[in-house]
Amino acid sequence: MSLKIYDILRLDILKDAKVIAGEKLVKDRVVQWVSAMEMPVESFVRKNELVLTTAIGCGQILKEFEKFLQDVMDSEATALAVALGRHVFEIPHEIIELANKNQFILIEIPWEVRFSEIIEEVMLQLNDINYKESRKSEKVQQELLNLILKETDLTCIANYLYQNVGYPVIITDQIGTIQAHSEEIPSLLDNWREYAVKGIIPARKKSSLSSHDPMIQKIQTIKIEGYFIVQLPVIQVSGNTQDFLFVILPSYISLDKFLTQYTVNVLEHAVTTIALWFSRKNAVEEAKLLLHDSFIKELINGEFTSLEQAVSRAEIVGYNLKLPYICIIGAPENLKTLFQTRNIDKGAYQQWTESMIHYLKEEIYYAANSLKKEVMITYQEQQLFVFLEISLENKKEGVTNFLDLVERRLRSLLPKVVISWGIGNYNEDIFGFKESYENAKVALNICRNKKGVGNRVMYENTRVDRVLLNLFQNSEMKEIIMTTVEPLLEYNNQRNLDLIETISTYNRYQGNVSKTAKALFLHRQSLLYRLRKIEELTGLSLVDPDDLFLLDLSIKTWKMGN
C-alpha cells in the first residue's frame, strides 16, 4: 500500500487543483513526503516528495523558473505543485514542456489554498498508510517468530517470505552455499554454485544504496543472467555477517518499485529471524564438527586403548568403525596463489579459504556417497585427512576410483586448485588407523618430492623410496650423499646450469648420449661437456659402475630428503 498523487488530488482541499504536466503518471507516482519549498533547492528536497511552492524566487524570469524545476526533478521529487496568484500568474509553456519531457508531474493550485492545510491532509494520509503497513509487517514478524518457535525448517521460512515479498528467495551461508530456497525459483539456481565459487555471489564490494534507512544501506545488488538480485547480510550475535538473504527480481523490476516501506520492514524482520535460526543451527553444527574433528584426531594419534572404546565414541558422532578404512591425505597446494590472482579484499583470505575447503569436503562426500562408501573427513594442519571405507578384495581399485571421481568433479568446479594425495595402507585393529595415517603421510611426502605437487602416491608403491629416506636419515650416509651432491648444487647456483637433472636424465636413458641429448634439447657436444663437468666436480667416473651407482643413489636419496 502506498500514497499516489492521484489519491492526494482527490482530497477536498485540492478539488480545484489542475494537473498541467504528467497527467498520465498520477496513478503510478508514489508520495512519501510533503514540503513547502522555494529557491534555492540545494539538498532540501527528498526522493518521492510532493513539493509545494509559490515560486517566489523565480518571479517572471523564465531561466530561474527552469532552473528551479530542474533542481526539483534532479532531487527525484514526485511532483511540483505551484500556487498561482501573487508571484506567478500563469506557468509558462516552456516550463510545462520541460516537465513533460522529463515525465514529471506539474500541478497548479489556487493561491487561497494554504500550504499548511495541504501538508496536514497529506501527512494524515501518510501516517494512516504507515500505521497500516506497520501493523501488517508486525503480523509478518509475529508469524516468522512463530515459525522459529515451532522449529520449522529454513525452506518453510523461505516460502513464507516469498509469499510476502512476491519474488523468489534464496538463503545461503557466508560463502554462498544454498541452505534453502523458496518455490518457483528461476533457472539461475542451476549455476548458483559456480557463481559462488568464482566469488560473484555473495557480493563482497564495500558499497551500499544511498538512503536514510539503515536497512536499505545494507543492501547490495548483483546483476546476473537477466535477473536483478537483492542481497542482504544476516548479522549474527557475534556481529559478523554469517549468512545472506537474496531476493531474485526480474531485470525489469526497479529497486525503487520493490523496496516499499512494507517490503523493507518484512526484509528487516526476515534477516533477524534467519539470524536466530542459524544461531541455533550453528551452535549445534559447531559442537558436532568439533566432536568429529576431535574424534578423528584421537584416531590418528592412537589415543584409544581398545577397539570397543573407539567404536563407542564413534557411534556418538555417527561413524561405524567396524568397517575397513584406509587413510588418504590431501594437501591443497596453491590456495594462497589462487587467492592472490582474484580481485578480492586481502582480509577475506581466511573466509575464502574456508569456502574452498568446504567445496573440497563436499566433493569428497559426494564421491563417497556415489560409490556407496562411508567416509570420515577433517581438515587440520592445512591438509584433508580422509578415512575411506574400502573393500579388502580390491583396495587399490577402490581408492583409485574414489580419487578419480573426486578429481574429475574438481576439474569442473575448481579447475585451478592443485591437490597432492598420499594414500596409506589398510591396517587392522584400532591402531591400524594411526598406522594408515602415518603411511599416508609418508606417501604424501614422497609424492611431493619425487613426482611434484598435484600427483598421488600409494604407500605400498614406495618401498624403494622409503629405503632412500631411511638412508638419508643415517648421519654417515647423509654426509656421503651431501658430499656428492653439494658441488653440483653449488655449480647450479653459480652458473644456473642444472647438472643434477642432466645426470638423472643420463641414467634414465642408461648412458645413451644421443637419447639424453635429445631429451634435454642439447647438442651432443654440450651434453658431453656437462658430463665431464659432473665427473670433475664429484671426482666420480661415469664409466665406473660403482661410481655411477653412488652418484645415482646420492641424487635420488637427496631428492627424497628434500
Side-chain angles (χ1 to χ4, degrees):
M1 183 184 294
S2 56
L3 184 66
K4 307 291 178 62
I5 287 292
Y6 174 79
D7 302 316
I8 294 172
L9 291 172
R10 294 176 64 191
L11 296 171
D12 286 342
I13 196 171
L14 291 175
K15 64 180 184 297
D16 294 325
K18 181 181 178 182
V19 179
I20 59 173
E23 187 173 1
K24 294 180 180 179
L25 306 172
V26 296
K27 289 187 177 181
D28 296 324
R29 296 296 167 88
V30 174
V31 174
Q32 291 180 305
W33 320 92
V34 59
S35 67
M37 177 66 59
E38 306 297 348
M39 290 185 68
V41 173
E42 296 181 347
S43 60
F44 297 111
V45 174
R46 290 167 288 192
K47 185 177 181 178
N48 297 333
E49 188 161 342
L50 169 60
V51 179
L52 311 175
T53 185
T54 64
I56 187 173
C58 304
Q60 302 301 314
I61 305 172
L62 180 60
K63 286 187 176 180
E64 290 295 326
F65 207 152
E66 287 177 337
K67 183 178 185 307
F68 177 58
L69 175 60
Q70 189 63 56
D71 288 347
V72 172
M73 292 190 297
D74 289 344
S75 299
E76 299 184 74
T78 299
L80 178 66
V82 183
L84 299 184
R86 184 171 299 179
H87 304 292
V88 176
F89 301 101
E90 182 181 13
I91 296 180
H93 71 274
E94 292 92 347
I95 296 298
I96 297 172
E97 287 179 3
L98 179 61
N100 279 322
K101 181 181 177 181
N102 288 274
Q103 294 189 305
F104 185 74
I105 300 171
L106 196 58
I107 304 169
E108 290 180 351
I109 56 177
W111 179 265
E112 58 270 17
V113 179
R114 295 180 180 178
F115 285 176
S116 60
E117 293 178 359
I118 297 174
I119 292 172
E120 182 180 4
E121 289 290 330
V122 172
M123 288 305 301
L124 284 172
Q125 295 276 331
L126 287 172
N127 289 336
D128 183 57
I129 288 173
N130 288 336
Y131 174 74
K132 290 176 181 177
E133 293 286 286
S134 177
R135 290 299 301 270
K136 188 178 175 184
S137 64
E138 284 174 9
K139 184 180 178 183
V140 170
Q141 181 185 31
Q142 188 59 52
E143 285 298 319
L144 286 169
L145 289 174
N146 287 338
L147 291 175
I148 288 288
L149 293 173
K150 292 176 183 177
E151 298 188 3
T152 308
D153 65 39
L154 205 55
T155 300
C156 289
I157 295 174
N159 282 325
Y160 182 79
L161 292 176
Y162 172 43
Q163 294 165 12
N164 282 275
V165 300
Y167 297 98
V169 167
I170 295 176
I171 301 169
T172 78
D173 61 16
Q174 63 179 338
I175 60 177
T177 302
I178 293 176
Q179 303 297 302
H181 60 78
S182 63
E183 300 169 348
E184 305 296 330
I185 209 72
S187 59
L188 170 69
L189 194 67
D190 297 336
N191 300 319
W192 188 276
R193 188 179 183 190
E194 182 181 345
Y195 293 128
V197 170
K198 291 179 178 178
I200 298 171
I201 295 174
R204 304 289 185 186
K205 59 185 178 182
K206 299 293 183 181
S207 64
S208 59
L209 302 176
S210 57
S211 171
H212 297 291
D213 191 320
M215 185 64 188
I216 295 177
Q217 289 176 4
K218 297 174 185 176
I219 289 175
Q220 290 184 276
T221 57
I222 310 166
K223 292 183 180 179
I224 298 175
E225 293 186 18
Y227 295 99
F228 193 65
I229 303 175
V230 177
Q231 172 185 308
L232 267 168
V234 177
I235 312 297
Q236 292 194 11
V237 178
S238 61
N240 297 320
T241 300
Q242 298 292 331
D243 312 285
F244 291 95
L245 169 65
F246 298 89
V247 183
I248 315 299
L249 307 179
S251 58
Y252 59 83
I253 298 295
S254 69
L255 198 59
D256 288 341
K257 187 174 181 180
F258 171 68
L259 290 177
T260 63
Q261 189 58 52
Y262 169 72
T263 303
V264 171
N265 289 342
V266 169
L267 292 176
E268 186 168 13
H269 298 325
V271 294
T272 303
T273 302
I274 294 168
L276 289 171
W277 192 94
F278 271 114
S279 292
R280 184 179 63 194
K281 173 180 176 287
N282 289 346
V284 175
E285 289 295 323
E286 285 176 14
K288 186 188 293 185
L289 184 62
L290 189 61
L291 282 174
H292 282 231
D293 290 347
S294 176
F295 174 75
I296 296 174
K297 192 170 183 179
E298 288 178 62
L299 269 183
I300 64 179
N301 288 337
E303 295 180 21
F304 293 108
T305 57
S306 68
L307 181 60
E308 291 72 23
Q309 180 194 16
V311 167
S312 176
R313 278 284 307 281
E315 288 175 353
I316 296 173
V317 292
Y319 293 143
N320 181 5
L321 286 196
K322 295 179 181 178
L323 301 170
Y325 289 93
I326 199 168
C327 184
I328 304 170
I329 300 179
E333 304 285 10
N334 63 333
L335 292 185
K336 194 162 191 177
T337 304
L338 275 180
F339 177 80
Q340 290 169 347
T341 63
R342 296 175 181 266
N343 188 24
I344 306 176
D345 177 28
K346 290 181 180 179
Y349 176 67
Q350 180 66 28
Q351 189 179 64
W352 181 86
T353 302
E354 288 174 3
S355 71
M356 292 298 102
I357 299 305
H358 171 84
Y359 291 127
L360 293 175
K361 282 184 174 182
E362 205 171 61
E363 292 308 316
I364 290 170
Y365 279 120
Y366 176 87
N369 289 335
S370 298
L371 298 172
K372 294 181 172 54
K373 299 295 183 183
E374 292 291 323
V375 69
M376 301 184 289
I377 311 172
T378 183
Y379 181 74
Q380 298 179 25
E381 301 169 17
Q382 299 181 344
Q383 293 177 344
L384 289 158
F385 301 154
V386 181
F387 282 95
L388 175 70
E389 177 196 349
I390 55 162
S391 169
L392 295 179
E393 289 74 31
N394 54 356
K395 299 188 290 290
K396 188 172 183 179
E397 183 182 348
V399 173
T400 300
N401 291 340
F402 169 75
L403 288 180
D404 283 348
L405 181 54
V406 170
E407 291 183 338
R408 187 162 59 248
R409 287 182 58 85
L410 288 178
R411 277 195 295 271
S412 173
L413 177 66
L414 305 169
K416 295 183 179 179
V417 173
V418 176
I419 303 178
S420 303
W421 301 96
I423 304 153
N425 270 357
Y426 167 70
N427 295 281
E428 294 182 350
D429 202 23
I430 187 59
F431 298 109
F433 288 94
K434 180 182 180 181
E435 291 170 10
S436 186
Y437 162 73
E438 296 291 349
N439 295 163
K441 196 160 62 168
V442 170
L444 177 63
N445 186 36
I446 290 172
C447 173
R448 285 165 153 173
N449 291 333
K450 186 177 182 180
K451 290 189 173 183
V453 298
N455 290 286
R456 66 176 82 153
V457 165
M458 289 190 168
Y459 182 78
E460 65 182 48
N461 298 330
T462 63
R463 285 177 294 181
V464 173
D465 304 302
R466 280 179 274 145
V467 169
L468 296 178
L469 273 176
N470 286 328
L471 285 175
F472 195 75
Q473 290 165 3
N474 179 280
S475 58
E476 186 176 351
M477 281 301 304
K478 186 173 182 179
E479 183 180 352
I480 294 171
I481 290 162
M482 295 311 299
T483 302
T484 305
V485 173
E486 278 179 344
L488 304 180
L489 295 173
E490 184 65 28
Y491 189 82
N492 184 29
N493 291 335
Q494 294 174 357
R495 305 291 183 87
N496 195 27
L497 198 62
D498 193 349
L499 296 181
I500 288 179
E501 179 60 22
T502 301
I503 190 60
S504 296
T505 307
Y506 180 74
N507 284 328
R508 189 160 61 247
Y509 287 102
Q510 299 178 340
N512 187 307
V513 174
S514 298
K515 289 183 179 180
T516 303
K518 186 177 181 181
L520 292 172
F521 302 101
L522 289 175
H523 189 275
R524 181 183 176 87
Q525 292 303 317
S526 297
L527 174 60
L528 292 173
Y529 169 78
R530 290 191 182 189
L531 295 175
R532 287 194 297 272
K533 181 55 69 175
I534 290 169
E535 289 182 319
E536 177 187 327
L537 292 169
T538 61
L540 300 172
S541 170
L542 299 186
V543 297
D544 185 322
D546 290 341
D547 284 1
L548 192 59
F549 171 77
L550 176 60
L551 183 57
D552 187 41
L553 179 67
S554 297
I555 289 172
K556 286 181 176 177
T557 307
W558 171 78
K559 285 182 177 179
M560 279 297 101
N562 291 274

